[in-house]
Amino acid sequence: MDQAGVTAQTTKSPWGSVAPAAPTCSLTEVMSEQLAKQLDEEDSAFRTLPDPGVDLLLSDDAPDTTSDLMLAQMLQMQYDREFDDQLRREEKKFNGDSKVSISFENYRMVHPYEGSDSSEDEVDWQDTRDDPYRAEKPQTTPRRGFSGKGKNITTKHDEVTCGRKNTARMDNFAPEVLVGDGLGMDLKLSNQVFNSLKQHCYSEQRRSAKLHEKKEHSTAEQAVDPRTRLLMYKMVSAGVLENINGCISTGKESVVFHADGGSLEEQPVPDEVVLKVFKTTLNEFKNRDRYIKDDYRFKERFSKLNPRKIIRLWAEKEMHNLTRMKKAEIPCPEVVLLKKHILVMSFIGKDHVPAPKLKDAMLGSEDLKNAFYQVLHMMQQLYQECNLVHADLSEYNMLWHEGKVWLIDVSQSIEPTHPHGLEFLFRDCRNVSTFFQKRGVSEALSVYDLFNTVSGLNIPVGVEDEAEFMAEIVALEKRNEDHVQKRGKKTFPVASEDADPPLKPDADD
């Protein structure tokens, strides 16, 4: 038996217990590994509790900070918690005091107690007030208006207190205003800075509302509003159009789209048509009411319509003008259908390629000469047979197709009895004469001779002073206006039974 495991045998003393004598050990026994192991086991029985921090570092469950992946995951966890904090602030700001709230729970990245195995430990963030990420609110001032005593008195006008209150009030800004982490910091915004931020938020909200309304209720460049898209969709669904291909032209007042024709019960639809969508923005029509308010055909209706319905009246006006021109066999688009502010017409071109404008057409001297005589003849027909003045005639509103000049854009065309009808005619003559003279057409008439030739009037040219010529025109307009007012009707009678194309009723007006 090993001596290390044997204890000293002592006799029992009647006077009490006697401490056992320490066993004697030789140097060889001290160096023995068995004895060292036994002493270690005895010492472990009385070992004190370890340090929790040291135990965490030495345990196998502690995160391995030497791994780059583990560090990245820890940083991502911290970022997700900050993101959830910002999301909760935005949710509170978005719901406000509304009885019906919207939860952003599905957008959260990390659950607050994702490591908990028990469902009882989970906390509903919508109902609890124990939010560890919630910023502390500034202390409110008592009703008496101050706190403290003596030298330590603090009023409600204290700079630090007001600054913290202003920072807390940023939580009431609109949801689209990103305040960042400012609510969780000890920021102190002065009244001047807070008022500037508040005014900026209100201004941005009003501007955003105006832009949204303008986008929803007006056509933009090469785009249409939802109402117009719905009208175009109904045309395709009804079979009037096969499909809409895209935008081919834009202007100040309208956007023109190319489409493939379908069928109508009343009349055949061409294979290729265009949709002229009049822009529903009122900016371009503010200064153009003089073209329609003095036209006897629409004068009574003009005064009873709101500004947006006037734009529909503008489309109807072009439809009636094109119908007159078609009856006089003037080359122009043929009207197929009118629906509110959308006018469907025949396409002037071939294979989806529109005819070039007269200013862009590459014409020789002989073609330019023929084009001038065609324009002269059409202006005479327009004035004498159709009883119309184009009022915006130029090389931009004339197309060259199949060796002929075609007139387009007659929505602003008026009758000669209009108070400014002769002035508009003189302007058209000046545009036409200037264009052909610049192109080197020797047969082109001067603006004064062209005006007399088209109108049939014999206003003396004299020294060709434009001021005197315009004075004569204004005098004629004045006499004609007085004559119309006395008779109570138009000077030039026009047949009322025009074969207009189908006009779709506005059931939703």
Side-chain angles (χ1 to χ4, degrees):
M1 182 176 182
D2 192 0
Q3 294 182 3
V6 179
T7 59
Q9 299 294 332
T10 58
T11 59
K12 186 175 181 180
S13 174
W15 305 102
S17 59
V18 180
T24 58
C25 298
S26 62
L27 181 60
T28 306
E29 293 175 348
V30 173
M31 299 298 294
S32 174
E33 294 181 0
Q34 186 177 3
L35 179 60
K37 183 177 181 181
Q38 181 181 357
L39 293 176
D40 183 66
E41 290 177 356
E42 294 177 357
D43 184 64
S44 63
F46 303 98
R47 184 176 298 175
T48 57
L49 294 177
D51 187 8
V54 177
D55 183 65
L56 181 63
L57 293 176
L58 297 178
S59 64
D60 296 337
D61 298 336
D64 186 10
T65 56
T66 60
S67 173
D68 294 341
L69 177 60
M70 183 59 67
L71 287 175
Q73 291 177 349
M74 294 172 65
L75 291 174
Q76 182 64 37
M77 179 67 69
Q78 181 65 23
Y79 172 79
D80 291 343
R81 289 180 178 177
E82 293 178 359
F83 174 80
D84 294 344
D85 185 18
Q86 178 67 19
L87 196 64
R88 281 189 292 273
R89 289 197 295 265
E90 292 183 3
E91 178 182 351
K92 179 181 177 182
K93 188 186 304 182
F94 183 83
N95 293 327
D97 299 332
S98 176
K99 296 182 180 180
V100 180
S101 61
I102 297 177
S103 175
F104 293 172
E105 189 73 16
N106 294 337
Y107 298 97
R108 290 182 51 236
M109 304 296 295
V110 181
H111 195 278
Y113 298 99
E114 63 176 357
S116 176
D117 298 333
S118 175
S119 60
E120 297 179 356
D121 295 336
E122 296 182 359
V123 179
D124 187 0
W125 289 97
Q126 303 296 325
D127 301 331
T128 184
R129 296 183 180 181
D130 300 328
D131 185 357
Y133 301 106
R134 184 176 56 185
E136 297 182 0
K137 294 184 178 180
Q139 297 180 355
T140 57
T141 307
R143 291 185 177 180
R144 56 188 179 182
F146 65 92
S147 61
K149 296 181 180 180
K151 297 181 179 180
N152 298 326
I153 189 171
T154 302
T155 65
K156 62 180 180 180
H157 303 291
D158 182 66
E159 183 178 1
V160 177
T161 304
C162 289
R164 289 173 177 168
K165 285 184 179 180
N166 292 335
T167 303
R169 290 193 187 108
M170 289 197 305
D171 196 22
N172 299 326
F173 287 168
E176 57 269 14
V177 180
L178 303 179
V179 297
D181 298 333
L183 297 178
M185 302 179 183
D186 189 18
L187 285 181
K188 304 175 186 63
L189 292 180
S190 63
N191 293 336
Q192 182 179 2
V193 174
F194 175 76
N195 291 334
S196 299
L197 289 175
K198 183 178 178 181
Q199 185 64 31
H200 174 73
C201 293
Y202 289 161
S203 301
E204 287 297 315
Q205 283 183 285
R206 290 195 298 267
R207 187 181 67 87
S208 178
K210 290 180 180 179
L211 291 177
H212 178 72
E213 181 181 1
K214 183 178 181 181
K215 180 180 179 181
E216 289 296 322
H217 299 91
S218 65
T219 54
E221 195 75 13
Q222 301 184 8
V224 293
D225 62 320
R227 295 181 181 178
T228 305
R229 284 197 297 268
L230 181 59
L231 293 176
M232 297 167 69
Y233 173 75
K234 289 182 178 179
M235 291 182 184
V236 176
S237 300
V240 179
L241 306 175
E242 289 292 336
N243 51 65
I244 300 175
N245 300 317
C247 177
I248 60 175
S249 178
T250 59
K252 296 181 297 183
E253 304 165 356
S254 62
V255 182
V256 181
F257 294 89
H258 181 275
D260 296 331
S263 60
L264 271 178
E265 297 180 359
E266 296 85 356
Q267 62 179 6
V269 180
D271 295 335
E272 293 184 83
V273 296
V274 294
L275 279 72
K276 187 172 184 179
V277 181
F278 287 85
K279 295 182 179 180
T280 54
T281 51
L282 304 178
N283 298 334
E284 301 296 340
F285 290 87
K286 289 180 179 178
N287 299 324
R288 303 184 70 84
D289 55 349
R290 60 176 183 167
Y291 290 96
I292 194 172
K293 70 178 182 179
D294 293 322
D295 194 330
Y296 77 94
R297 297 175 295 171
F298 308 96
K299 187 174 183 179
E300 297 297 329
R301 296 170 57 189
F302 177 82
S303 59
K304 300 177 182 179
L305 295 179
N306 59 41
R308 293 195 177 276
K309 289 188 177 181
I310 293 176
I311 301 173
R312 302 180 187 178
L313 193 63
W314 195 268
E316 182 181 346
K317 188 170 183 282
E318 178 161 6
M319 180 195 70
H320 289 296
N321 292 339
L322 287 174
T323 304
R324 285 193 187 183
M325 294 170 61
K326 204 65 181 178
K327 291 181 64 175
E329 298 182 355
I330 297 177
C332 65
E334 181 181 359
V335 179
V336 178
L337 179 68
L338 174 64
K339 177 62 176 176
K340 291 187 178 180
H341 60 284
I342 301 179
L343 183 61
V344 183
M345 302 176 291
S346 61
F347 177 67
I348 302 177
K350 187 177 181 181
D351 297 335
H352 297 196
V353 179
K357 297 178 182 178
L358 194 59
K359 75 177 187 67
D360 299 327
M362 305 299 294
L363 303 179
S365 58
E366 192 66 25
D367 290 335
L368 283 173
K369 178 181 176 181
N370 295 333
F372 170 74
Y373 285 115
Q374 290 182 29
V375 173
L376 176 60
H377 181 63
M378 284 190 296
M379 293 178 68
Q380 290 176 330
Q381 283 184 297
L382 197 65
Y383 185 86
Q384 299 172 6
E385 299 181 23
C386 300
N387 194 32
L388 289 174
V389 175
H390 192 284
D392 193 21
L393 188 61
S394 66
E395 62 273 17
Y396 295 90
N397 292 330
M398 292 184 286
L399 304 181
W400 180 261
H401 180 58
E402 296 179 350
K404 294 190 299 183
V405 178
W406 298 67
L407 292 183
I408 61 172
D409 192 12
V410 293
S411 57
Q412 72 287 330
S413 298
I414 57 175
E415 293 199 345
T417 55
H418 190 279
H420 304 285
L422 295 181
E423 295 179 40
F424 294 148
L425 178 61
F426 181 80
R427 187 177 63 185
D428 292 346
C429 294
R430 180 168 52 193
N431 294 336
V432 172
S433 177
T434 302
F435 170 74
F436 284 102
Q437 286 179 356
K438 286 184 177 180
R439 289 297 181 96
V441 180
S442 58
E443 291 81 4
L445 300 177
S446 65
V447 56
Y448 309 104
D449 295 333
L450 184 60
F451 178 85
N452 287 332
T453 303
V454 172
S455 62
L457 302 174
N458 294 319
I459 299 179
V461 177
V463 294
E464 297 187 356
D465 187 1
E466 183 173 343
E468 295 181 2
F469 199 86
M470 287 299 300
E472 291 289 338
I473 292 177
V474 172
L476 285 174
E477 289 178 341
K478 182 62 177 176
R479 288 197 298 268
N480 183 52
E481 183 179 1
D482 296 340
H483 179 69
V484 172
Q485 290 179 354
K486 289 179 180 179
R487 296 184 60 182
K489 59 182 180 179
K490 56 185 180 298
T491 305
F492 303 94
V494 179
S496 59
E497 55 275 4
D498 289 342
D500 290 337
L503 179 64
K504 292 290 184 180
D506 297 339
D508 55 346
D509 286 349

